[in-house]
Amino acid sequence: MRKKKRSLVDSEQLFMMLIGTFLLAFTYYHINFQNHLSEGGFVGLSLLGKYLFDFPPALTALVLDIPVFIVALFLKGRKFLMNTLIASIAFSGFYELCDRFSPFQLDLQNNLMIAAVLSGIFTGIGAGVVLRAGGATGGDDILSLVVSQLTGLKIGTVFIVLDAIVLLISLVYMPVLETMYTIVAVLIAGKVITWTVNYGKAAEPKLRVPYAVKEKTVRA
């Protein structure tokens, strides 16, 4: 009797990723966008490319994402890549729905510290839930996950470092006040991501680089 072929995405993972991506999209639109907080990660680099070199942000994001997705395919496998593609599409869809149809307006311009704290908590939970479900919402999330597993650093710490670097560079064109509050949000989000991903789980071992890849690296 033939064994039933296992699906690359199971229903529990899908449900968790939808919850996580919805929370991320809701937070990015209603807190970050509506209150003019800056952006880190690949989105921040795309905006920086637009400002400095007039590169189209969508094209820049694609160029940054593709090599990371290829690396993820080899190091994390097809299932992780499929989960990430689903999470990325879900996030974009939820964000578009918020942008087009949401009646909520969270004006925290006079309370940016509250905006930063709320952003950090909710983006941390949302991103953490997606990662815990076995996916990611984009290339920068994958990069953070891979660096974390290669180095043994907490994943939230890697998020903080990468986002903070991008935000500090973005000071060449972004307002200082909003950028500083965004860094506060990133610091909180990094801690919350680590807690969400690791809660109730044993410490994850370092990522093992495939022998063939290691051999090529040594010979190079």
Side-chain angles (χ1 to χ4, degrees):
M1 188 175 177
R2 281 186 171 180
K3 288 184 178 179
K4 194 173 182 180
K5 201 170 183 181
R6 182 178 288 183
S7 172
L8 284 177
V9 182
D10 63 42
S11 56
E12 184 179 347
Q13 286 179 322
L14 179 59
F15 181 67
M16 286 182 67
M17 287 190 295
L18 290 177
I19 290 175
T21 51
F22 174 77
L23 185 57
L24 274 173
F26 186 91
T27 304
Y28 274 127
Y29 180 75
H30 291 95
I31 297 179
N32 291 40
F33 174 73
Q34 290 184 351
N35 295 285
H36 310 296
L37 294 181
S38 306
E39 296 287 352
F42 284 4
V43 174
L45 285 175
S46 300
L47 295 175
L48 184 63
K50 171 67 177 175
Y51 175 79
L52 294 178
F53 308 108
D54 201 30
F55 292 157
L59 180 60
T60 303
L62 187 63
V63 169
L64 291 170
D65 276 338
I66 287 175
V68 180
F69 274 64
I70 293 172
V71 170
L73 176 61
F74 284 101
L75 295 182
K76 300 290 291 179
R78 288 187 302 162
K79 184 170 183 177
F80 175 82
L81 186 60
M82 180 61 69
N83 285 347
T84 298
L85 291 172
I86 291 171
S88 300
I89 293 169
F91 172 78
S92 298
F94 284 136
Y95 191 92
E96 184 70 16
L97 288 174
C98 287
D99 187 25
R100 285 175 175 266
F101 303 112
S102 177
F104 298 112
Q105 182 73 32
L106 298 178
D107 186 1
L108 296 170
Q109 281 291 291
N110 296 322
N111 297 282
L112 284 179
M113 180 56 76
I114 294 176
V117 171
L118 291 175
S119 173
I121 292 171
F122 291 131
T123 58
I125 294 173
V129 166
V130 174
L131 289 166
R132 192 179 175 100
T137 55
D140 47 349
D141 288 10
I142 297 173
L143 182 61
S144 297
L145 183 61
V146 170
V147 170
S148 171
Q149 293 186 344
L150 285 172
T151 62
L153 291 171
K154 292 179 180 178
I155 187 167
T157 302
V158 181
F159 267 95
I160 290 170
V161 172
L162 295 181
D163 277 356
I165 290 171
V166 173
L167 288 167
L168 288 173
I169 296 173
S170 298
L171 283 171
V172 299
Y173 75 100
M174 290 297 298
V176 174
L177 185 63
E178 284 85 348
T179 302
M180 291 299 103
Y181 278 115
T182 305
I183 291 176
V184 172
V186 166
L187 290 171
I188 295 170
K191 296 295 183 183
V192 176
I193 287 170
T194 298
W195 180 83
T196 305
V197 171
N198 294 330
Y199 180 74
K201 293 169 64 176
E204 192 170 354
K206 285 185 182 180
L207 185 66
R208 293 182 180 276
V209 178
Y211 181 75
V213 175
K214 192 183 290 185
E215 280 289 296
K216 287 178 184 178
T217 305
V218 171
R219 291 173 187 170

